[in-house]
Amino acid sequence: MSLDAATRARIETLLKDHRVVLFMKGTRQQPMCGFSAAATNTLNELLPDYHTVNVLEDPEIREGIKAYGDWPTIPQLYVGGELVGGADIIRQMYGSGELHQLFGAAPPDRTPPEITITDKAAEAIRQGTANAQGVALHLEIGPDHSAGFQLAPASEHDIVVTANGIEVHFDPASAQRAKGIVIDWVSTVQGEGLSLKFPGAQDIASITVQQLQQRLVEGSIMLIDVRPAHGRAAAAPLPQARVLEEEGYEALAALPKDTELAFICHHGISSQGVAERFAAHGFTRVHNVEGGMDAWAQFIDPSVPRY
């Protein structure tokens, strides 16, 4: 793959002007692919500031950076003008502590957390992983307490905890955030699945669309729409709603912890998870809207499109 002189000069200027540069799809605030999101999530743990280049907005850089470092995929991390690697290498170096050393940060705390896995959750995990070979159960917990399980190969740098006969692998940051969590299997009107409860988190109360309508008229509750852009395009947010994706998690999480909040999505599933994250951050009056916007369209306002 050839690299023209003008594009090479642009790349070299970027690397000269910024010690840490991540060439990625999207931005730090809004990654546009899973690998770019994984890279920024890791870097965010260690660096308050670094430079990103959105290759989706610059086709010349998108192709040119692949030729520049002879690295075929995006994202790519450069530090001090030198190529470090892509998302997998960034994650591996974070787990081993090499990334901390590279950035002059303190070594990661590798103390295994104490966690609880209920009998129901343990049985569900055993059934779900019965045919999984050569992989381990990983739990990643982000700074905003968003959490996700995945089956992936084990790493020698994983922090491993066994609870109720289930082995769970963590990266260093997730391990610290997992202290005291309870993993349960729950059944709600939204469906069944694994649930994480953090120490001190409040239970999430359900609110019907009829109750929500009355509370919005009274002005006694704040409604937060957690749907992605394509969902909001299909059916616009209610006029009273604040939009999580537009305002940002950190801004809304800075609200007084006694603010009464209601979270709404399409059917009431993803909003439950967001509500749990806010409760984990100390919010004490948190509600999830049963049935979401679909229920609002069905029972409150038929002019709202159902999609």
Side-chain angles (χ1 to χ4, degrees), residues 158-174:
D158 291 344
I159 297 172
V160 184
V161 177
T162 301
N164 204 352
I166 302 296
E167 187 177 274
V168 184
H169 292 234
F170 296 93
D171 63 70
S174 296

Side-chain angles (χ1 to χ4, degrees), residues 178-190:
K179 291 179 178 178
I181 63 169
V182 176
I183 302 174
D184 196 7
W185 180 264
V186 297
S187 299
T188 69
V189 294
Q190 290 83 27

Side-chain angles (χ1 to χ4, degrees), residues 16-280:
K16 180 180 179 181
D17 290 346
H18 307 279
R19 178 173 182 259
V20 181
V21 182
L22 181 68
F23 296 87
M24 61 180 291
K25 295 179 181 179
T27 65
R28 181 177 180 177
Q29 293 73 26
Q30 191 171 9
M32 298 301 290
C33 78
F35 294 109
S36 292
T40 55
N41 287 343
T42 302
L43 294 177
N44 291 346
E45 298 284 355
L46 297 176
L47 296 175
D49 186 43
Y50 56 92
H51 189 72
T52 61
V53 178
N54 183 2
V55 301
L56 297 179
E57 295 182 346
D58 196 327
E60 292 179 353
I61 292 291
R62 180 176 184 172
E63 297 306 316
I65 194 62
K66 297 176 185 178
Y68 183 84
D70 194 23
W71 191 270
T73 58
I74 302 293
Q76 295 183 24
L77 175 66
Y78 278 78
V79 178
E82 299 293 329
L83 174 64
V84 174
D88 289 343
I89 290 178
I90 294 170
R91 200 65 183 160
Q92 291 168 11
M93 292 179 65
Y94 178 81
S96 69
E98 293 176 84
L99 205 61
H100 298 69
Q101 185 176 4
L102 180 63
F103 295 139
D109 184 348
R110 304 191 64 83
T111 306
E114 292 187 8
I115 68 174
T116 299
I117 301 178
T118 67
D119 291 341
K120 286 185 177 180
E123 180 60 26
I125 292 171
R126 290 190 187 96
Q127 292 180 7
T129 59
N131 297 320
Q133 302 294 327
V135 293
L137 180 66
H138 295 253
L139 175 56
E140 185 171 342
I141 303 174
D144 58 359
H145 285 69
S146 58
F149 290 93
Q150 64 174 326
L151 292 173
S155 165
E156 61 179 316
H157 304 301
D158 291 344
I159 297 172
V160 184
V161 177
T162 301
N164 204 352
I166 302 296
E167 187 177 274
V168 184
H169 292 234
F170 296 93
D171 63 70
S174 296
Q176 298 311 304
R177 297 185 185 113
K179 291 179 178 178
I181 63 169
V182 176
I183 302 174
D184 196 7
W185 180 264
V186 297
S187 299
T188 69
V189 294
Q190 290 83 27
E192 295 185 322
L194 291 172
S195 172
L196 268 68
K197 187 169 184 178
F198 292 85
Q202 303 293 314
D203 290 331
I204 307 303
S206 292
I207 184 171
T208 66
V209 288
Q210 292 85 355
Q211 292 170 326
L212 174 65
Q213 181 186 36
Q214 181 61 37
R215 299 295 301 279
L216 290 175
V217 169
E218 297 169 352
S220 59
I221 198 166
M222 180 182 295
L223 179 63
I224 300 177
D225 193 324
V226 308
R227 293 176 299 158
H230 64 83
R232 302 196 307 275
L238 300 179
Q240 307 94 323
R242 301 175 70 167
V243 177
L244 178 62
E245 193 172 77
E246 294 178 354
E247 297 204 33
Y249 183 93
E250 292 182 359
L252 292 173
L255 292 166
K257 294 299 186 285
D258 61 351
T259 304
E260 191 159 12
L261 304 173
F263 294 87
I264 193 168
C265 64
H266 189 190
H267 288 116
I269 298 174
S270 59
S271 55
Q272 174 74 20
V274 177
E276 291 174 354
R277 286 158 57 186
F278 274 77

